[in-house]
């Protein structure tokens, strides 16, 4: 399928992946393609024409080619050396094969046939042999070759995932949507149950319900004891890498230089973060270079070599029966577009972090394990379906308008097939969705006027991170008959995700990117050009199920001018969370194995911030036995404190985790408030709707006035959440009362209750989907707070209600986020419901602080660096109190804040804002503070004296 070969248009196939011999700087590998005049489709010609299929410019053959670094140049994969291989009894091998065959007994033969047609299938044995022979393998393959879904299955079939002891194949993904969708797809291919449908049961029932494939993402774990192929986000594997070390005393991170025998008693704490349940770790989409991906790469390198040293020591000591056998870890790094040599060289060289702390085993064994390695690079040639590329002849003046025209032209002129449009953000997606819905309603009239066949219906499906799994379900659902689905997505759909039915891709060539500036702590969200790597990834979305077409809203010359790869996140983000996680694993951020060394200023500021929060301390190392005492004397090391260990185990930013710990010390009510607020702030989308229409904006401001709290935005957001829960409780109570009246349709009553809540959200400009996402995060935070012994009043009330009034519960009542309990006027959410004023829930006793003093003080303990004092020299400006801020750096309160001077003036003014606390600084036309609350200057003095 292709566009007409008319004189006005130009086409070429998707840029193939450069071969190992091709220069890495080549911007257009498919140079032999004949030159035809470029398409002007973005300038909206009457229609696209179709004259039949186009021929391929360069046919790529299937198969695997191989190169390697660090001493080997042969393309033939060497057999595994005796020192690397494990001696496994024949009976165990036989039992393992039987178990593997039994696990795959439900595979559909049609799926097996489809998998065999993938380009990667011809290299299955070569991949398995390479993983067996080498510790680390880099796999580079085109989008659509099948590497992400097939390689984990190949390794499972080859016996890399054992039943006893548990050995899993872990697959990391940069994004949640990719991890969940890939797990579900692989589960289908292996004849396993859908992990997303795993019942909420525990114990033996959960084990029986789970299959071989599972996934783990933030706030959602869909794995069981049966899981052997585990898809997870980079953040989740990092949490497993932390292990139990964060709980251990700081002395454990400063071990003695004795032999391994003397450290075996404490090896449990050391080994708990070595991913011992994983035999293979696949780091997918490594080219995206997120901060977490870089952390995973560095930690995996150290863990791999440390496990090798521990295993060799165990073998040399005669395999002591009182010690658990430690296996070696295989690492596979793969992507469709990757600087393969750079990644291979990174894993081939010794680990700096392990060499800097050579205390876990015998130095000779450690040196041997940390020596140079051979790292082969496997190239998967070809893709299952070809993609025809189209560029605009002239740069588009307005890319959103060009995207609209392109989608409509594809819809009225091209054969059936869904469309994927890459856009920059949620606002642009919502705008284009409204425009498409408007134009699609006029298409029947246009077809009649032009005497053309009636076009198919258009189904608009947005896809961005804030939607959540349930809201994005229709993106992956089959397209209805006589309908064309148009998926409007951010770069979340750029990698690893296969959206069924996509044939056409429209690429704007832009993406939103956050940049953090150390020193000023200003975070800028800017629209910037994507890289050639990202452009190829986007184009590859069109050829997953059949031949496709990609329409780039930029010229071919512009493509050649793009950077080869994107800017690593590590050089443009706040490093505080990364430093805390590394220190929790006993790693020194200054000697860590970074693929790209982070900015020295940013790293130093992050360390100082964590010291200020009480998470880190600086200790002086004692002289080690047998070493030069003078050389070691005075050497400092960052050590995790008890508070830091607790912070590291909370899956939120260091500022939020410190605030949550401080709230727990102030009592259960404050702990509940801070926990709920963190859930709101951790959501990807605001719970308040901000209309772009000026008239709607005025209406929204009036509706939101009922929620405004005089202390600022934090309390206001919390009030919105509690008001929503109060309305939900009211609707549920009315529904329950109607059910007891007599013969009523239960489904109708429940639907009316939902509509009542939905109408309340619409009238008050509250985003219901965002609130539900907050409640989901809040539910997970409740579990985590219980685990960390942070008591909240709703948990205490729930225990009291269960112990005193269990007989009054209605077992038929559907479980919800907010169900009122009797006795104390507090429901399970901690929402006081006995008396309300202006729609705001008020307490029934003195426990609830209506001024949220404890809340703001707890937030200040975690955000002390974000406290600011009023600048007396300039009206309505503020300056941070921390010395790390650049001299003279002042800012204003963002216009969206309830404390903005214009809004205070409408309320009569008179409010003193001598000191404020904010969530973030952003730069648009100037620097603004967002999500602001007023604080007392005396609190700053108190915290300064305490520190």
């Amino acid at each position: 399928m292709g566009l007409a070969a008319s004189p006005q248009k130009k086409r070429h196939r998707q840029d193939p992946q450069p071969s190992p011999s091709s220069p890495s700087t080549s911007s257009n590998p498919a140079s032999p393609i004949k030159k035809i005049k470029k398409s002007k489709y973005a300038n909206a010609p009457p229609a696209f024409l179709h004259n039949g299929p186009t021929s391929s410019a360069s046919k790529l053959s299937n198969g695997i080619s191989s190169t390697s670094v660090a001493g080997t140049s042969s393309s033939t994969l060497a057999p595994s050396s005796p020192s690397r291989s494990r001696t496994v009894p024949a009976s165990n091998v036989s039992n393992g094969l039987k178990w593997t065959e039994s696990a795959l007994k439900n595979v559909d033969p049609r799926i097996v046939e489809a998998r065999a047609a993938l380009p990667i299938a011809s290299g299955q044995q070569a991949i398995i042999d390479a993983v067996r022979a080498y510790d680390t393998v880099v796999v580079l393959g085109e989008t659509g070759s099948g590497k992400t879904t097939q390689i984990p299955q190949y390794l499972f079939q080859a016996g890399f995932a054992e039943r006893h002891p548990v050995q899993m194949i872990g697959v990391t993904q940069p994004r949640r949507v990719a991890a969940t969708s890939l797990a579900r797809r692989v589960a289908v291919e292996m004849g396993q149950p859908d992990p997303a449908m795993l019942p909420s049961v525990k114990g033996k029932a959960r084990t029986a319900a789970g299959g071989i494939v599972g996934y783990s993402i933030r706030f959602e774990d869909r794995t069981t004891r049966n899981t052997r192929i585990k898809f997870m986000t980079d953040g989740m594997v990092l949490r497993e890498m932390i292990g139990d070390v964060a709980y251990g005393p700081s002395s454990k991170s400063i071990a003695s230089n004795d032999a391994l025998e003397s450290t075996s008693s404490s090896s449990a704490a050391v080994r708990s973060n070595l991913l011992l349940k994983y035999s293979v770790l696949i780091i997918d989409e490594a080219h995206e270079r997120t901060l977490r991906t870089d952390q995973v790469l560095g930690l995996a390198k150290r863990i791999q070599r440390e496990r090798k040293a521990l295993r060799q020591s165990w073998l040399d000591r005669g395999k002591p029966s009182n010690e658990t056998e430690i296996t070696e870890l295989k690492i596979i790094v793969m992507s469709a577009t990757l600087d393969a040599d750079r990644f291979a060289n990174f894993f081939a060289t010794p680990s700096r972090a392990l060499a800097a702390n050579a205390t876990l085993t015998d130095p000779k064994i450690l040196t041997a394990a940390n020596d140079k390695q051979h790292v082969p690079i496997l190239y998967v040639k070809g893709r299952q379906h070809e993609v025809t590329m189209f560029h605009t002849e002239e740069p588009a003046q307005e890319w959103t308008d060009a995207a609209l025209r392109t989608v409509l032209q594809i819809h009225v002129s091209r054969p059936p097939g869904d469309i994927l449009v890459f856009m920059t953000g949620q606002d642009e997606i919502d705008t284009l969705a409204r425009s498409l819905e408007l134009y699609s309603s006029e298409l029947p009239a246009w077809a009649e006027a032009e005497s053309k066949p009636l076009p198919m219906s258009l189904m608009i499906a947005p896809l961005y991170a804030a939607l959540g799994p349930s809201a994005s379900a229709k993106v992956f659902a089959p397209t209805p008959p006589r309908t064309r689905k148009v998926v409007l997505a951010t770069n979340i759909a750029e990698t690893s995700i296969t959206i069924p039915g996509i044939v056409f891709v429209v690429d704007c060539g832009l993406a939103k990117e956050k940049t953090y500036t150390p020193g000023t702590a200003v975070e800028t969200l800017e629209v910037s050009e994507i890289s050639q790597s990202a452009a190829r990834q986007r184009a590859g979305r069109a050829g997953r199920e059949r031949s496709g077409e990609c329409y780039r809203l930029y010229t071919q010359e512009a493509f050649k001018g793009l950077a080869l790869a994107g800017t690593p996140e590590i050089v443009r983000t706040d490093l505080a969370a990364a430093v805390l996680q590394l220190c929790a694993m006993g790693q020194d951020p200054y000697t860590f194995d970074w693929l790209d060394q982070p900015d020295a200023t940013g790293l130093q500021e992050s360390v100082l911030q964590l010291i200020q929060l009480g998470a880190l301390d600086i200790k002086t190392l004692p002289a080690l036995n047998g070493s030069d005492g003078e050389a070691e004397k005075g050497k400092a090391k960052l050590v995790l404190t008890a508070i830091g260990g607790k912070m590291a185990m909370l899956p939120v930013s260091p500022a939020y985790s410190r605030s949550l710990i401080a709230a727990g010390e102030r009592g259960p009510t404050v702990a509940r408030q801070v926990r709920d607020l963190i859930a709101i702030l951790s959501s990807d989308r605001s719970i308040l709707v901000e209309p772009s229409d000026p008239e709607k904006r005025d209406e929204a401001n009036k509706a939101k006035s009922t929620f405004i709290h005089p202390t600022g935005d934090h309390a206001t957001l919390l009030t919105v959440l509690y008001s929503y829960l109060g309305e939900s409780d009211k609707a549920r109570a009315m529904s329950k009362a109607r059910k007891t009246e007599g013969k009523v349709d239960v489904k109708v009553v429940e639907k009316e209750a939902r509509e009542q809540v939905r109408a309340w959200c619409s009238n008050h400009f509250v985003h219901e989907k965002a609130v539900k996402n907050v409640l989901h995060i809040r539910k997970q935070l409740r579990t985590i707070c219980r685990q960390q012994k942070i008591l909240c009043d709703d948990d205490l009330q729930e225990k009291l209600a269960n112990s005193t009034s269990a007989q009054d519960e209605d077992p038929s009542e559907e479980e919800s986020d907010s169900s009122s309990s009797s006795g104390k006027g507090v429901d399970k959410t901690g929402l006081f419901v006995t008396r309300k004023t202006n729609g705001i829930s008020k307490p029934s006793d003195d426990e609830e602080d209506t001024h949220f003093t404890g809340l703001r003080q707890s937030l200040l303990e975690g955000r002390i660096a974000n406290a600011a004092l009023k600048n007396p020299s300039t009206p309505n400006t503020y300056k941070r109190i921390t010395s790390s801020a650049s001299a003279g750096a002042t800012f204003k309160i963002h216009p969206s804040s309830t404390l903005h001077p214009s809004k205070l003036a409408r309320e009569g003014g008179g409010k003193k804002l001598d000191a404020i606390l904010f969530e973030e600084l952003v730069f648009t036309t100037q620097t603004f503070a967002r999500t602001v609350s007023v604080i007392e200057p005396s609190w700053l003095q108190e915290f300064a004296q305490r520190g």
Side-chain angles (χ1 to χ4, degrees):
M1 181 184 343
L3 203 60
S6 61
Q8 298 86 2
K9 304 189 181 291
K10 177 175 183 177
R11 65 174 181 267
H12 61 275
R13 295 294 180 188
Q14 182 187 10
D15 312 301
Q17 185 63 40
S19 64
S21 59
S22 300
S24 59
T25 57
S26 174
S27 61
N28 184 14
S31 57
I33 300 174
K34 62 181 180 179
K35 297 181 179 180
I36 310 174
K37 194 172 181 182
K38 286 172 280 189
S39 168
K40 290 185 178 180
Y41 69 88
N43 295 324
F48 286 142
L49 302 177
H50 176 54
N51 292 342
T54 58
S55 59
S56 173
S58 58
K59 189 79 171 179
L60 295 176
S61 61
N62 292 346
I64 302 290
S65 62
S66 171
T67 62
S68 58
V69 299
T72 178
S73 58
S74 172
S75 61
T76 305
L77 298 176
S80 177
S81 62
S83 61
R84 290 178 182 168
S85 58
R86 293 179 56 198
T87 303
V88 183
S91 59
N92 290 357
V93 174
S94 177
N95 292 337
L97 291 175
K98 289 181 180 178
W99 175 72
T100 302
E101 292 174 359
S102 174
L104 300 176
K105 63 183 179 181
N106 295 324
V107 176
D108 190 331
R110 293 172 296 180
I111 292 180
V112 176
E113 183 178 350
R115 291 177 58 202
L118 291 170
I120 199 171
S122 60
Q124 176 177 351
Q125 193 57 49
I127 293 171
I128 294 173
D129 291 342
V131 176
R132 283 194 173 129
Y134 298 98
D135 293 334
T136 305
V137 177
V138 176
V139 178
L140 186 62
E142 289 193 60
T143 300
S145 61
K147 60 187 180 305
T148 303
T149 57
Q150 302 310 303
I151 289 180
Q153 298 184 63
Y154 294 161
L155 298 179
F156 178 80
Q157 294 169 8
F160 281 89
E162 297 183 9
R163 188 177 186 185
H164 299 295
V166 174
Q167 291 280 273
M168 292 190 293
I169 299 167
V171 187
T172 72
Q173 293 292 328
R175 296 183 176 89
R176 291 173 292 181
V177 175
T180 56
S181 62
L182 284 169
R184 301 181 71 175
R185 177 170 177 170
V186 171
V188 171
E189 292 187 2
M190 297 182 69
Q192 299 295 311
D194 186 348
M197 300 293 106
L198 187 66
S200 299
V201 294
K202 297 180 180 180
K204 294 182 179 179
R206 184 176 176 86
T207 300
I212 298 297
V213 184
Y215 66 82
S216 179
I217 62 176
R218 188 186 186 194
F219 302 128
E220 188 174 357
D221 183 13
R222 297 289 180 173
T223 61
T224 68
R225 298 172 189 171
N226 292 333
T227 302
R228 293 299 179 272
I229 298 179
K230 182 178 178 180
F231 288 85
M232 50 193 164
T233 54
D234 295 333
M236 294 310 297
V237 74
L238 278 176
R239 303 209 67 77
E240 293 193 39
M241 288 175 169
I242 292 177
D244 297 328
V245 176
Y247 286 117
S250 58
S251 59
K252 286 183 180 178
S253 61
I254 310 175
S256 66
N257 195 26
D258 298 336
L260 184 64
E261 292 85 348
S262 64
T263 62
S264 60
S265 61
S266 62
S267 61
V270 175
R271 297 175 183 177
S272 62
N273 65 339
L274 295 182
L275 303 181
L276 295 180
K277 289 186 177 181
Y278 297 89
S279 59
V280 182
L281 183 64
I282 300 175
I283 305 173
D284 196 15
E285 307 300 350
H287 76 279
E288 290 204 18
R289 296 296 309 279
T290 66
L291 175 59
R292 288 173 176 169
T293 301
D294 278 12
Q295 286 181 266
V296 170
L297 289 168
L299 289 166
K301 178 178 178 179
R302 175 189 169 122
I303 289 171
Q304 181 189 67
R305 294 162 185 262
E306 190 171 341
R307 278 173 56 170
K308 176 180 282 196
L310 291 170
R311 176 169 179 79
Q312 189 59 49
S313 176
W314 180 77
L315 292 173
D316 290 351
R317 289 181 287 108
K319 304 179 182 179
S321 58
N322 62 337
E323 294 182 20
T324 304
E325 178 182 2
I326 294 181
T327 60
E328 294 186 21
L329 177 66
K330 301 288 187 178
I331 296 175
I332 302 175
V333 182
M334 61 187 190
S335 174
T337 53
L338 187 71
D339 185 356
D341 289 333
R342 183 174 190 180
F343 282 81
N345 286 322
F346 173 75
F347 280 97
T349 55
S351 168
R352 279 197 341 165
L354 192 58
N357 188 18
T359 58
L360 298 179
T361 187
D362 182 82
K364 292 182 180 180
I365 297 177
L366 187 67
T367 301
N370 199 26
D371 201 1
K372 272 195 169 184
Q373 295 182 353
H374 297 295
V375 180
I377 303 172
L378 304 184
Y379 291 84
V380 183
K381 295 182 179 180
R383 56 179 301 118
Q384 190 175 18
H385 305 289
E386 295 178 348
V387 178
T388 306
M389 304 297 304
F390 300 94
H391 290 88
T392 59
E393 186 176 44
E394 301 292 339
Q397 296 298 320
E398 177 57 52
W399 70 264
T400 52
D401 181 58
L404 172 64
R405 299 183 189 186
T406 304
V407 170
L408 292 175
Q409 292 165 28
I410 292 173
H411 180 55
V412 300
S413 64
R414 306 304 288 140
D418 295 339
I419 305 172
L420 171 60
V421 186
F422 281 99
M423 307 194 71
T424 55
Q426 176 184 330
D427 292 338
E428 293 79 6
I429 287 175
D430 292 341
T431 301
L432 183 57
R434 288 193 295 268
S435 298
L436 285 173
E437 289 171 353
L438 175 63
Y439 278 102
S440 64
S441 64
E442 299 176 357
L443 284 177
W446 169 84
E448 183 178 355
E450 297 290 330
S451 300
K452 293 183 177 295
L454 183 66
M456 295 181 289
S457 301
L458 273 181
M459 183 178 76
I460 314 301
L463 179 63
Y464 43 85
L467 278 179
S470 57
S472 58
K474 75 174 182 177
V475 171
F476 301 96
T479 306
R482 289 284 305 163
T483 303
R484 191 194 298 271
K485 180 166 57 182
V486 180
V487 179
L488 308 179
T490 60
N491 57 358
I492 192 175
E494 192 173 291
T495 57
S496 295
I497 297 177
T498 296
I499 301 175
I502 295 296
V503 177
F504 308 98
V505 166
V506 179
D507 176 18
C508 69
L510 302 170
K512 280 186 178 178
E513 197 172 76
K514 281 187 177 181
T515 302
Y516 178 82
T517 305
T520 62
V522 175
E523 190 173 59
T524 308
L525 183 62
E526 296 179 341
V527 176
S528 57
E529 294 180 341
I530 61 174
S531 63
Q532 291 186 19
S533 169
R536 291 192 179 97
Q537 288 280 16
R538 291 183 173 189
R541 302 302 102 191
R544 304 310 296 266
E545 296 183 343
R546 70 187 200 206
S547 297
E549 300 171 1
C550 177
Y551 299 86
R552 289 173 174 167
L553 305 180
Y554 46 94
T555 64
Q556 191 169 14
E557 287 71 23
F559 170 78
K560 294 178 181 179
L562 296 176
L564 296 179
T567 305
E569 188 182 6
I570 193 171
V571 301
R572 54 179 176 84
T573 191
D574 184 11
L575 300 174
V579 170
L580 177 62
Q581 288 175 327
L582 291 177
C583 292
M585 290 174 270
Q587 308 293 307
D588 187 340
Y590 293 101
T591 60
F592 182 70
D593 293 305
W594 298 107
L595 189 59
D596 282 308
Q597 192 65 27
D599 178 74
T601 303
L603 190 61
Q604 183 71 23
E605 282 195 5
S606 299
V607 171
L608 293 175
Q609 177 185 342
L610 292 171
I611 293 174
Q612 192 175 42
L613 292 176
L616 296 181
D617 197 4
I618 300 178
K619 298 288 185 182
T620 302
L621 289 174
L624 299 178
N625 296 334
S627 65
D628 186 357
E630 292 298 324
E632 294 290 336
K633 187 177 180 181
K635 185 177 180 181
K637 182 181 177 105
L638 293 173
V639 178
L640 197 72
T641 64
I643 291 178
K646 205 168 185 178
M647 289 169 59
M649 299 310 295
L650 294 169
V652 291
S653 69
Y656 292 157
S657 60
R658 184 65 185 93
S659 296
L660 193 53
I661 293 171
E665 297 170 353
R666 286 183 167 83
T669 300
V670 179
R672 181 253 305 165
Q673 292 173 348
V674 172
R675 180 204 64 198
D676 294 351
L677 179 63
I678 290 173
I680 297 172
L681 299 175
S682 298
S683 178
D684 295 317
R685 185 170 187 172
S686 172
I687 59 176
L688 290 172
V689 178
E690 298 290 344
S692 55
D693 184 8
E695 294 183 2
K696 285 284 187 180
R697 192 182 302 123
D698 293 338
E699 186 180 347
N701 291 334
K702 291 179 182 178
K704 295 173 192 174
S705 62
T706 58
F707 304 127
I708 292 178
H709 196 277
T711 62
D713 299 326
H714 294 97
T716 297
L717 291 172
L718 205 56
T719 302
V720 173
L721 177 65
Y722 289 164
S723 298
Y724 171 87
L725 293 174
E727 188 66 25
S728 298
D729 277 344
K730 186 192 300 182
R732 191 173 297 107
M734 293 176 61
S735 174
K736 188 174 182 179
R738 289 187 58 189
K739 290 178 184 178
T740 59
E741 290 177 356
K743 294 183 178 180
V744 293
D745 190 330
V746 175
K747 292 185 178 180
V748 171
V749 172
E750 292 176 350
K751 182 179 179 181
E752 290 177 353
R754 290 192 298 268
E755 290 295 334
Q756 178 181 336
V757 176
R758 190 170 292 115
W760 181 89
C761 290
S762 178
N763 294 334
H764 290 83
F765 289 85
V766 174
H767 201 292
E768 187 178 15
K769 290 182 180 178
V771 174
K772 289 183 177 180
N773 185 38
V774 167
L775 293 176
H776 178 67
I777 297 174
R778 173 177 175 264
K779 181 180 179 182
Q780 303 302 322
L781 283 176
R782 286 186 70 176
T783 302
I784 294 167
C785 286
R786 291 167 187 159
Q787 294 171 350
Q788 301 301 315
K789 311 300 182 187
I790 299 175
L791 298 178
C792 300
D793 58 3
D794 51 349
D795 287 327
L796 297 175
Q797 186 64 29
E798 187 173 346
K799 290 181 181 179
L800 179 63
N802 291 337
S803 60
T804 59
S805 59
Q807 67 276 11
D808 297 331
E809 293 184 1
D810 182 4
S812 63
E813 183 70 18
E814 183 180 355
E815 183 182 356
S816 63
D817 295 302
S818 172
S819 299
S820 298
S821 58
S822 60
K824 298 293 183 180
V826 188
D827 72 349
K828 293 182 180 180
T829 66
L831 170 65
F832 290 85
V833 295
T834 55
R835 186 171 72 252
K836 294 184 179 179
T837 305
N838 294 331
I840 301 175
S841 301
K842 295 295 182 181
S844 59
D845 50 36
D846 295 333
E847 291 183 6
E848 181 85 349
D849 177 14
T850 57
H851 297 288
F852 293 100
T853 302
L855 170 79
R856 290 180 289 144
Q857 289 177 337
S858 300
L859 290 176
L860 181 60
E861 290 207 38
R863 289 286 192 188
I864 188 68
N866 286 13
L869 293 174
K870 197 167 189 178
N871 187 16
S873 60
T874 309
N876 300 325
T877 61
Y878 294 83
K879 189 173 181 180
R880 295 167 66 209
I881 64 172
T882 55
S883 58
S884 60
S886 298
T890 60
F891 55 87
K892 295 182 178 181
I893 297 176
H894 196 273
S896 64
S897 173
T898 60
L899 297 180
H900 190 264
S902 63
K903 296 180 180 179
L904 295 179
R906 286 196 297 265
E907 296 173 5
K911 185 181 295 185
K912 293 183 64 176
L913 299 179
D914 294 330
I916 61 171
L917 177 70
F918 60 89
E919 282 299 311
E920 60 180 351
L921 290 177
V922 295
F923 182 82
T924 52
T925 55
Q926 55 185 309
T927 306
F928 290 107
R930 296 184 62 176
T931 316
V932 182
S933 286
V934 61
I935 57 175
E936 298 295 333
S938 59
W939 298 350
L940 299 175
Q941 298 176 0
E942 177 186 342
F943 290 143
Q945 294 173 357
R946 187 191 311 172

